[in-house]
Amino acid sequence: MALAIGLAAAAPAQVTGPARVVDGDTFSVGAERVRLWGVDAPEGRQVCQNAQGLDFACGDAARDQLVGLIGGRGVRCEVRDRDPYGRAVSRCVAGSTDLGEAMVEAGWAIDYVQFSRGAYASAEAEAHRARRGLWAGRFETPSTWRAEARQARPVPASPPQAGCVIKGNINAKGRRIFHVPGQEDYAATRIDTARGERWFCSASEALAAGWTAARR
């Protein structure tokens, strides 16, 4: 009995259920936010170049790939860690598909060697050889893009009036999205009024102006 209890206590945490995809390596299962272990996909606002050298929203393309891989099925995740944002860093499957491996094989995520220790190196090498996904053109690694984006952000404009703290951001694809305090991307979002970005005093005001609520 004691041995059985000890084995149960040592078993890894599991997250299972329907998934709502946020981006190419992140989704929600109920109230739990899950980050795929061992891979790194383009950020939601990241822009890459395709085989013809034209810009495209690779973050959106990666998100769509993950949506397709899950295909409306429930996911089963083994939680391995928690990241600084509180997300459950997990190795996940939908049916028999390892989602992290499949994303790398399709060329829409890279092997995050810093954490995976090369678990998906062969899948990445095959995607690179076949010029799939990101490898068909040119791209910055997501970690490099994040670092450069942090350095390039302009000094945030101040809200036009007290209490108007909702941030109306325009992403790389021209989508108008608003972020409210407490959301994951709120602190990182900077408002550049010269680009048409703006502050709102309420969510209803933002919606009435044609902006969409951020997913995270």
Side-chain angles (χ1 to χ4, degrees), residues 30-55:
E32 185 76 86
R33 186 64 63 92
V34 177
R35 170 69 159 83
L36 288 177
W37 172 86
V39 306
D40 203 11
E43 295 297 321
R45 295 184 293 274
Q46 188 168 347
V47 174
C48 304
Q49 286 74 49
N50 63 18
Q52 290 72 45
L54 301 175
D55 289 351

Side-chain angles (χ1 to χ4, degrees), residues 73-97:
R73 297 174 291 180
V75 299
R76 185 174 72 259
C77 301
E78 177 187 308
V79 181
R80 298 193 166 192
D81 200 358
R82 292 276 172 182
D83 71 8
Y85 301 103
R87 296 177 296 187
V89 180
S90 310
R91 195 160 190 170
C92 301
V93 298
S96 60
T97 302

Side-chain angles (χ1 to χ4, degrees), residues 40-138:
D40 203 11
E43 295 297 321
R45 295 184 293 274
Q46 188 168 347
V47 174
C48 304
Q49 286 74 49
N50 63 18
Q52 290 72 45
L54 301 175
D55 289 351
F56 75 103
C58 51
D60 288 350
R63 180 199 62 216
D64 293 345
Q65 177 70 21
L66 183 56
V67 169
L69 287 171
I70 293 173
R73 297 174 291 180
V75 299
R76 185 174 72 259
C77 301
E78 177 187 308
V79 181
R80 298 193 166 192
D81 200 358
R82 292 276 172 182
D83 71 8
Y85 301 103
R87 296 177 296 187
V89 180
S90 310
R91 195 160 190 170
C92 301
V93 298
S96 60
T97 302
D98 180 316
L99 295 174
E101 183 176 43
M103 285 294 291
V104 175
E105 285 180 340
W108 292 109
I110 63 173
D111 182 25
Y112 209 172
V113 180
Q114 177 182 351
F115 301 102
S116 73
R117 299 182 183 275
Y120 298 128
S122 61
E124 181 178 295
E126 173 58 22
H128 193 177
R129 184 196 65 77
R131 300 188 65 79
R132 298 182 192 133
L134 300 169
W135 302 104
R138 299 179 61 187

